[in-house]
Amino acid sequence: MGFFDVLKGFLSSVAHPGASDDARARLRDAWGLDDDSPTAARESSSIAPSADADLPSLYDVEQWRKKLRRIFEDLPASKSEWAALMTEARAYNLDDAWIAERLAEEFTLLIRGVVADRVLSEADHERVETARKLIGITESQAEAAVHAIVAEAEAFFGGSVVEEA
Protein backbone atom coordinates (compact mmCIF):
# COMPACT_ATOMS: atom_id res chain seq x y z
CA MET A 1 0.00 0.00 0.00
CA GLY A 2 1.40 3.40 -0.94
CA PHE A 3 2.03 6.32 1.37
CA PHE A 4 -0.94 8.29 0.10
CA ASP A 5 -3.26 5.30 0.61
CA VAL A 6 -2.09 5.01 4.21
CA LEU A 7 -2.49 8.75 4.74
CA LYS A 8 -5.95 8.72 3.16
CA GLY A 9 -6.98 5.82 5.37
CA PHE A 10 -5.67 7.55 8.46
CA LEU A 11 -7.32 10.87 7.69
CA SER A 12 -10.67 9.31 6.82
CA SER A 13 -10.71 7.24 10.02
CA VAL A 14 -9.68 10.06 12.36
CA ALA A 15 -11.29 13.07 10.77
CA HIS A 16 -13.45 15.04 13.18
CA PRO A 17 -15.47 17.49 11.09
CA GLY A 18 -17.10 18.88 14.22
CA ALA A 19 -13.81 20.02 15.79
CA SER A 20 -14.11 23.28 17.68
CA ASP A 21 -12.48 26.50 16.58
CA ASP A 22 -10.28 26.26 19.66
CA ALA A 23 -9.09 22.78 18.69
CA ARG A 24 -8.31 23.93 15.14
CA ALA A 25 -6.45 26.97 16.51
CA ARG A 26 -4.37 24.75 18.84
CA LEU A 27 -3.52 22.46 15.93
CA ARG A 28 -2.51 25.41 13.72
CA ASP A 29 -0.32 26.74 16.55
CA ALA A 30 1.28 23.34 17.19
CA TRP A 31 2.13 22.91 13.52
CA GLY A 32 3.37 26.47 13.11
CA LEU A 33 0.60 27.38 10.70
CA ASP A 34 -0.94 30.79 10.80
CA ASP A 35 -4.27 32.02 9.61
CA ASP A 36 -2.78 34.59 7.24
CA SER A 37 -5.90 35.85 5.58
CA PRO A 38 -6.85 39.41 6.40
CA THR A 39 -9.56 40.07 8.96
CA ALA A 40 -12.10 40.67 6.24
CA ALA A 41 -11.45 37.36 4.55
CA ARG A 42 -11.53 35.43 7.83
CA GLU A 43 -15.21 36.18 8.07
CA SER A 44 -15.88 34.64 4.67
CA SER A 45 -15.96 30.89 4.29
CA SER A 46 -16.74 30.69 0.60
CA ILE A 47 -16.05 32.39 -2.68
CA ALA A 48 -19.37 34.17 -2.43
CA PRO A 49 -19.25 37.93 -2.04
CA SER A 50 -18.99 39.18 1.50
CA ALA A 51 -22.17 40.28 3.26
CA ASP A 52 -20.45 43.63 3.76
CA ALA A 53 -19.78 45.18 0.37
CA ASP A 54 -16.66 46.89 1.75
CA LEU A 55 -14.99 43.57 2.64
CA PRO A 56 -13.34 41.31 0.07
CA SER A 57 -14.35 37.70 -0.38
CA LEU A 58 -11.82 34.99 0.35
CA TYR A 59 -11.73 34.28 -3.39
CA ASP A 60 -10.76 37.89 -4.17
CA VAL A 61 -8.03 37.83 -1.55
CA GLU A 62 -6.58 34.57 -2.87
CA GLN A 63 -6.65 35.85 -6.44
CA TRP A 64 -4.83 39.00 -5.35
CA ARG A 65 -2.16 36.88 -3.61
CA LYS A 66 -1.72 34.77 -6.75
CA LYS A 67 -1.21 37.94 -8.81
CA LEU A 68 1.32 39.20 -6.28
CA ARG A 69 3.25 35.93 -6.41
CA ARG A 70 3.22 35.88 -10.22
CA ILE A 71 4.42 39.48 -10.42
CA PHE A 72 7.32 38.69 -8.08
CA GLU A 73 8.19 35.57 -10.08
CA ASP A 74 8.24 37.49 -13.36
CA LEU A 75 10.22 40.54 -12.21
CA PRO A 76 11.54 42.76 -13.69
CA ALA A 77 9.33 42.17 -16.76
CA SER A 78 6.14 42.40 -14.65
CA LYS A 79 7.08 45.72 -13.03
CA SER A 80 4.45 47.55 -15.09
CA GLU A 81 1.67 45.52 -13.39
CA TRP A 82 2.56 46.74 -9.90
CA ALA A 83 0.39 49.88 -9.86
CA ALA A 84 -2.67 47.92 -10.95
CA LEU A 85 -2.05 45.31 -8.24
CA MET A 86 -1.84 47.96 -5.53
CA THR A 87 -4.94 49.71 -6.90
CA GLU A 88 -6.76 46.39 -6.72
CA ALA A 89 -5.65 45.94 -3.09
CA ARG A 90 -7.11 49.35 -2.22
CA ALA A 91 -10.32 48.52 -4.11
CA TYR A 92 -10.66 45.32 -2.07
CA ASN A 93 -10.03 47.39 1.05
CA LEU A 94 -7.23 45.05 2.15
CA ASP A 95 -5.59 45.92 5.43
CA ASP A 96 -2.29 47.80 5.01
CA ALA A 97 -0.54 45.71 7.67
CA TRP A 98 -1.70 42.49 6.00
CA ILE A 99 -0.45 43.73 2.63
CA ALA A 100 2.92 44.66 4.18
CA GLU A 101 3.21 41.14 5.62
CA ARG A 102 2.45 39.56 2.24
CA LEU A 103 5.00 41.80 0.51
CA ALA A 104 7.68 40.90 3.06
CA GLU A 105 6.78 37.22 2.68
CA GLU A 106 7.05 37.35 -1.12
CA PHE A 107 10.32 39.30 -0.91
CA THR A 108 11.75 36.59 1.36
CA LEU A 109 10.54 33.85 -1.00
CA LEU A 110 12.08 35.72 -3.94
CA ILE A 111 15.46 35.89 -2.22
CA ARG A 112 15.28 32.22 -1.23
CA GLY A 113 14.50 31.30 -4.83
CA VAL A 114 17.39 33.40 -6.08
CA VAL A 115 19.97 31.82 -3.75
CA ALA A 116 18.63 28.26 -4.14
CA ASP A 117 21.12 27.48 -6.92
CA ARG A 118 23.94 28.98 -4.77
CA VAL A 119 24.86 31.47 -7.51
CA LEU A 120 23.76 35.11 -7.63
CA SER A 121 23.67 36.36 -11.19
CA GLU A 122 23.25 39.91 -12.43
CA ALA A 123 19.66 39.04 -13.39
CA ASP A 124 19.06 37.85 -9.82
CA HIS A 125 20.38 41.16 -8.47
CA GLU A 126 18.06 43.02 -10.83
CA ARG A 127 15.02 41.00 -9.69
CA VAL A 128 15.76 41.62 -6.01
CA GLU A 129 16.47 45.31 -6.55
CA THR A 130 13.29 45.78 -8.59
CA ALA A 131 11.24 44.05 -5.89
CA ARG A 132 12.91 46.12 -3.18
CA LYS A 133 12.03 49.37 -4.92
CA LEU A 134 8.45 48.27 -5.63
CA ILE A 135 7.67 47.33 -2.04
CA GLY A 136 9.47 50.39 -0.70
CA ILE A 137 12.03 48.95 1.67
CA THR A 138 15.40 50.54 2.24
CA GLU A 139 18.64 49.15 0.88
CA SER A 140 19.79 48.32 4.40
CA GLN A 141 16.58 46.38 5.15
CA ALA A 142 16.92 44.44 1.92
CA GLU A 143 20.62 43.83 2.56
CA ALA A 144 19.85 42.47 6.03
CA ALA A 145 17.22 40.13 4.59
CA VAL A 146 19.59 38.94 1.85
CA HIS A 147 22.43 38.33 4.33
CA ALA A 148 20.16 36.37 6.68
CA ILE A 149 18.81 34.20 3.88
CA VAL A 150 22.25 33.67 2.32
CA ALA A 151 23.61 32.63 5.74
CA GLU A 152 20.68 30.24 6.11
CA ALA A 153 21.35 28.80 2.63
CA GLU A 154 25.08 28.45 3.27
CA ALA A 155 24.40 26.63 6.55
CA PHE A 156 21.94 24.34 4.79
CA PHE A 157 24.14 23.59 1.77
CA GLY A 158 27.38 23.51 3.73
CA GLY A 159 28.99 25.79 1.17
CA SER A 160 29.01 29.39 0.10
CA VAL A 161 26.70 31.27 -2.19
CA VAL A 162 28.81 32.99 -4.83
CA GLU A 163 28.24 35.85 -7.18
CA GLU A 164 28.48 35.11 -10.87
CA ALA A 165 31.36 36.86 -12.53
Side-chain angles (χ1 to χ4, degrees):
M1 182 186 275
F3 169 75
F4 291 112
D5 292 332
V6 172
L7 184 61
K8 181 181 174 187
F10 174 75
L11 291 175
S12 64
S13 66
V14 241
H16 300 286
S20 69
D21 288 344
D22 184 51
R24 283 191 290 273
R26 284 194 321 264
L27 182 62
R28 278 193 310 271
D29 290 342
W31 282 355
L33 303 173
D34 64 324
D35 187 6
D36 62 354
S37 58
T39 304
R42 286 185 196 139
E43 303 301 325
S44 175
S45 62
S46 71
I47 63 170
S50 172
D52 183 346
D54 292 335
L55 301 178
S57 71
L58 182 57
Y59 176 81
D60 291 335
V61 171
E62 289 305 313
Q63 292 303 306
W64 185 86
R65 288 189 73 183
K66 286 179 182 179
K67 286 179 188 176
L68 173 64
R69 181 161 287 133
R70 185 192 50 75
I71 288 172
F72 266 74
E73 288 171 356
D74 295 343
L75 284 174
S78 60
K79 180 181 175 180
S80 63
E81 299 175 53
W82 187 258
L85 181 74
M86 292 296 108
T87 299
E88 190 174 322
R90 285 188 299 279
Y92 287 143
N93 205 15
L94 298 177
D95 181 63
D96 290 341
W98 182 84
I99 292 170
E101 289 173 12
R102 299 299 70 79
L103 295 178
E105 178 181 272
E106 288 301 323
F107 187 70
T108 300
L109 290 173
L110 170 66
I111 296 169
R112 285 186 175 147
V114 162
V115 301
D117 64 359
R118 298 172 54 187
V119 176
L120 296 176
S121 68
E122 186 60 38
D124 292 337
H125 281 279
E126 185 178 0
R127 283 183 68 205
V128 171
E129 182 63 11
T130 301
R132 180 195 70 78
K133 288 178 180 177
L134 288 173
I135 63 177
I137 62 172
T138 65
E139 286 184 26
S140 61
Q141 290 171 317
E143 188 176 312
V146 168
H147 285 297
I149 293 167
V150 166
E152 183 181 288
E154 289 176 341
F156 178 80
F157 291 122
S160 63
V161 174
V162 297
E163 291 198 43
E164 215 173 54

